[in-house]
Amino acid sequence: SQTIHQWPATLVQPVGSPLSLECTVEGTSNPNLYWYRQAAGRGLQLLFYSVGIGQISSEVPQNLSASRPQDRQFILSSKKLLLSDSGFYLCAWSRDRGHKGYTFGSGTRLTVV
Amino acid sequence: SQQGEEDPQALSIQEGENATMNCSYKTSINNLQWYRQNSGRGLVHLILIRSNEREKHSGRLRVTLDTSKKSSSLLITASRAADTASYFCATDATKAGNNRKLIWGLGTSLAVNP
């Protein structure tokens, strides 16, 4: 069966520090991968998606970047965090371009202080 | 931009009652999906209904889709305290040849009181 792992679950980082959130998928190959951010009490904002190794599409200009060094690994990064980067970050994957829905990781609560 | 709009924004019911949440959207779609999110957790896919389907069931869940009104409803029958969560609709409106992306609503927060 397919599983998705996202870590860490919570993170408190000072302003200006770097960020690296990792997401890995097991039990499938060539998944579509997504990074979302969810502000408190709000819906999901798509940040990045990837349809293959090294292929990253950015949805919103921001202080973040994403990379896909391996087929089932998706990394969200920042060189210098801002207060506004605080939020709940979710990784997700889909097969067949989402015909059967997305599977989400458990999320990372990032607080920038 | 957000396409799905759920209503109500918040719903509080007693255990055993039915809960109905609605979702409206603006453009033609390939499918519409409903997800549940428990507080502080990831989203869980509940059900997907294609644009050529009108109704779908899964356990205590019933989803309807009216493409003429561009709306969908999610009915949870005989609700339980464990159904307390936020519920989101998402639409797949991808045009042919483009990578699929979902467009999300802001969610309905459901509280089921014991």
Side-chain angles (χ1 to χ4, degrees), chain A residues 13-66:
Chain A
Q13 292 284 101
V15 170
S17 64
L19 173 73
S20 180
L21 301 181
E22 189 163 343
C23 173
T24 60
V25 180
E26 295 178 358
T28 188
S29 59
N30 197 31
N32 289 343
L33 295 170
Y34 310 86
W35 276 111
Y36 283 91
R37 178 169 57 202
Q38 186 178 32
R42 300 296 301 277
L44 279 74
Q45 179 187 37
L46 179 62
L47 302 176
F48 302 95
Y49 70 93
S50 172
V51 299
I53 295 174
Q55 300 180 59
I56 309 294
S57 295
S58 174
E59 288 297 298
V60 182
Q62 62 221 328
N63 186 42
L64 302 169
S65 62

Side-chain angles (χ1 to χ4, degrees), chain B residues 24-84:
Chain B
S24 60
Y25 57 92
K26 298 175 183 175
T27 66
S28 60
I29 61 172
N30 301 308
N31 64 67
L32 185 146
Q33 304 174 27
W34 284 93
Y35 290 78
R36 182 186 72 214
Q37 183 181 33
N38 289 78
S39 180
R41 306 298 299 274
L43 281 76
V44 175
H45 180 252
L46 295 176
I47 200 163
L48 180 153
I49 187 165
R50 303 183 197 287
S51 59
N52 61 353
E53 297 176 310
R54 291 296 167 259
E55 188 171 312
K56 208 161 183 180
H57 296 81
S58 177
R60 294 183 296 112
L61 304 180
R62 172 176 170 257
V63 169
T64 60
L65 179 65
D66 187 334
T67 52
S68 66
K69 295 181 180 178
K70 292 186 170 56
S71 68
S72 173
S73 67
L74 170 67
L75 168 67
I76 303 175
T77 60
S79 64
R80 305 166 183 170
D83 294 328
T84 295

Side-chain angles (χ1 to χ4, degrees), chain A residues 48-104:
Chain A
F48 302 95
Y49 70 93
S50 172
V51 299
I53 295 174
Q55 300 180 59
I56 309 294
S57 295
S58 174
E59 288 297 298
V60 182
Q62 62 221 328
N63 186 42
L64 302 169
S65 62
S67 62
R68 185 170 177 172
Q70 300 179 45
D71 181 46
R72 290 169 290 177
Q73 184 184 30
F74 205 23
I75 298 173
L76 182 69
S77 304
S78 173
K79 292 182 178 178
K80 289 185 178 181
L81 284 169
L82 306 172
L83 287 174
S84 58
D85 292 324
S86 293
F88 191 51
Y89 289 83
L90 290 156
C91 180
W93 77 273
S94 71
R95 289 290 288 168
D96 299 325
R97 296 187 171 182
H99 286 180
K100 296 183 180 179
Y102 288 14
T103 300
F104 282 82

